Amino acid sequence: MVGWERGCRSDNETRIGTRTATGIMVWGSNSVTGQDWNQYRENGDSSGLRLWKRRWFVLVDLCLYYYRDSSEQRVRGGLPLPGYRIRVLAPSTSSPRFLFTVEHPGMRSYVLGADSPEELGAWMCSLRHSASPMGGAYSRDAEGSWFRSLFVHKVDPRKDAHSNLLSKKETSNLYKIQFHNVKPECLDAYNSLTEEVLPKLHSDADYPCDLVGNWNTWYGEQDQAVHLWRFSGGYPALMDCMNKLKQNKEYLDFRKERSRMLLSRRNQLLLEFSFWNEPLPRKGPNIYELRTYKLKPGTMIEWGNNWARAIKYRQENQEAVGGFFSQIGELYVVHHLWAYKDLQSREETRNAAWRKRGWDENVYYTVPLIRTMESRIMIPLKISPLQ
């Protein structure tokens, strides 16, 4: 995360250690008082503030130090954060947009800003942790903004599993997603074998399973096949299908031949979010994006609460295909599946979401819940119901 100066940009860099984060932009070094500050608080107009200056910031334990740039060795100043209040501001009408303050009663206060909402989220988490090292609750007085308590939600105590709270009640569908890493020289043979055998299971009424989609990864992990199955009837349907497949000679031969083509494979059992579209067959041609989020344990309900409001911003172009969360396999994993006509359409659709009031709020809320995230661009196989 790097700083920003009006009329000047530099390459992004991130360096976050055990308690260290670097790089951010800051407005001058003056206290935030007077007419200019009142003007900003009233209407969000930062034009009256002094010019933004890029400074290189380093957060070490409980102190925030700053330098002129990343190459400077001499510290220009520092803030011992305990006792300071870290507060997010409403987005500015001019650059930089993603602003927050570091305030202390009777002491110099600062307006700082980040280049992106993701950087804002990372800085807020780190700074607030340092300002309140014992994990105390953040101030909840009237801030007059929907940004209040932006990165800290209080989830009411629950006496039910999050799978029961977030999944669809009207269905008992269980999903299985498979990731097969194929030997590069075997990918064409793998696809041909798959397209010969899997449709038979899909069309056989004795097997309570349906193909939802089959793809090869285009961008992301290469020489990879992704298969998504639906088991109508939940775990009993899954076990019924697995027991029957153990007696199916053609399928056993298929697995034996397929094993010679694979480097590795893994799978997960999933439930679908109640507020997401059900993944139904669609005509092509389309490309598909599978965005995978690995969340911090204990945050799944908060993720669901935010996306239940946010999904409406991603429906205009019918790009939302399905949303799932893991039950068996790696836990606290979320998969969002999107469809686009091409990469340019994907870019335009995603940019359009940022122009909708409320979408940026969802990003602010959910970024701190994520440990890692991954995007795959996938091309459907001929047999895929999602084309």
Side-chain angles (χ1 to χ4, degrees), residues 190-245:
Y190 171 92
N191 287 339
S192 297
L193 182 64
T194 295
E195 291 170 345
E196 177 185 351
V197 176
L198 296 190
K200 297 178 181 179
L201 299 177
H202 175 72
S203 59
D204 193 333
D206 287 339
Y207 293 89
C209 60
D210 301 303
L211 283 176
V212 177
N214 311 82
W215 303 270
N216 285 151
T217 300
W218 184 22
Y219 288 102
E221 197 163 356
Q222 297 292 283
D223 303 309
Q224 185 181 72
V226 181
H227 305 286
L228 183 62
W229 295 86
R230 180 193 297 114
F231 295 89
S232 301
Y235 290 107
L238 171 68
M239 296 309 301
D240 182 31
C241 189
M242 295 299 102
N243 289 332
K244 289 178 178 177
L245 288 176

Side-chain angles (χ1 to χ4, degrees), residues 165-305:
L165 296 169
L166 296 173
S167 60
K168 292 185 177 180
K169 302 294 189 299
E170 65 273 17
T171 68
S172 56
N173 291 335
L174 181 69
Y175 291 82
K176 179 172 72 172
I177 192 167
Q178 299 173 304
F179 299 94
H180 291 172
N181 293 317
V182 185
K183 296 176 182 177
E185 67 275 14
C186 296
L187 186 59
D188 290 339
Y190 171 92
N191 287 339
S192 297
L193 182 64
T194 295
E195 291 170 345
E196 177 185 351
V197 176
L198 296 190
K200 297 178 181 179
L201 299 177
H202 175 72
S203 59
D204 193 333
D206 287 339
Y207 293 89
C209 60
D210 301 303
L211 283 176
V212 177
N214 311 82
W215 303 270
N216 285 151
T217 300
W218 184 22
Y219 288 102
E221 197 163 356
Q222 297 292 283
D223 303 309
Q224 185 181 72
V226 181
H227 305 286
L228 183 62
W229 295 86
R230 180 193 297 114
F231 295 89
S232 301
Y235 290 107
L238 171 68
M239 296 309 301
D240 182 31
C241 189
M242 295 299 102
N243 289 332
K244 289 178 178 177
L245 288 176
K246 292 177 182 179
Q247 310 301 321
N248 186 325
K249 185 178 183 305
E250 182 180 10
Y251 181 75
L252 295 176
D253 291 341
F254 158 74
R255 287 194 51 162
K256 185 176 181 179
E257 185 175 355
R258 185 188 66 183
S259 67
R260 302 189 184 101
M261 305 177 185
L262 298 181
L263 294 170
S264 65
R265 59 192 178 99
R266 61 185 175 89
N267 58 25
Q268 291 174 330
L269 293 181
L270 314 171
L271 293 177
E272 56 185 328
F273 284 110
S274 60
F275 47 85
W276 263 82
N277 313 45
E278 183 174 351
L280 300 175
R282 64 172 65 197
K283 296 181 180 179
N286 296 293
I287 62 171
Y288 290 81
E289 180 176 21
L290 182 67
R291 295 179 72 87
T292 299
Y293 305 88
K294 297 180 181 179
L295 306 184
K296 299 175 183 177
T299 61
M300 187 64 74
I301 290 177
E302 189 173 353
W303 178 274
N305 287 341

Side-chain angles (χ1 to χ4, degrees), residues 35-99:
Q35 181 178 358
D36 291 338
W37 176 235
N38 291 332
Q39 174 183 343
Y40 178 81
R41 294 183 70 128
E42 291 174 3
N43 56 29
D45 180 12
S46 62
S47 60
L49 300 177
R50 292 190 177 186
L51 291 177
W52 288 91
K53 296 180 181 179
R54 178 183 289 275
R55 292 292 182 260
W56 187 258
F57 273 62
V58 179
L59 175 60
V60 180
D61 294 324
L62 306 182
C63 193
L64 184 65
Y65 303 96
Y66 64 89
Y67 305 78
R68 184 179 299 276
D69 53 47
S70 60
S71 62
E72 188 176 39
Q73 299 298 314
R74 183 172 66 88
V75 175
R76 294 277 171 171
L79 291 174
L81 289 174
Y84 273 83
R85 182 186 183 202
I86 316 300
R87 190 165 66 90
V88 181
L89 303 176
S92 171
T93 56
S94 59
S95 294
R97 290 191 60 208
F98 309 106
L99 308 180

Side-chain angles (χ1 to χ4, degrees), residues 146 150 306 309 313 354 358-366:
W146 53 267
L150 193 56
N306 282 289
R309 296 188 293 269
Y313 301 111
W354 282 100
W359 172 253
D360 52 353
E361 180 182 359
N362 173 65
V363 175
Y364 296 146
Y365 274 114
T366 54

Side-chain angles (χ1 to χ4, degrees), residues 312-326:
K312 64 183 180 182
Y313 301 111
R314 299 296 306 274
Q315 297 283 10
E316 286 185 5
N317 297 319
Q318 298 182 331
E319 69 266 28
V321 177
F324 313 90
F325 58 98
S326 61

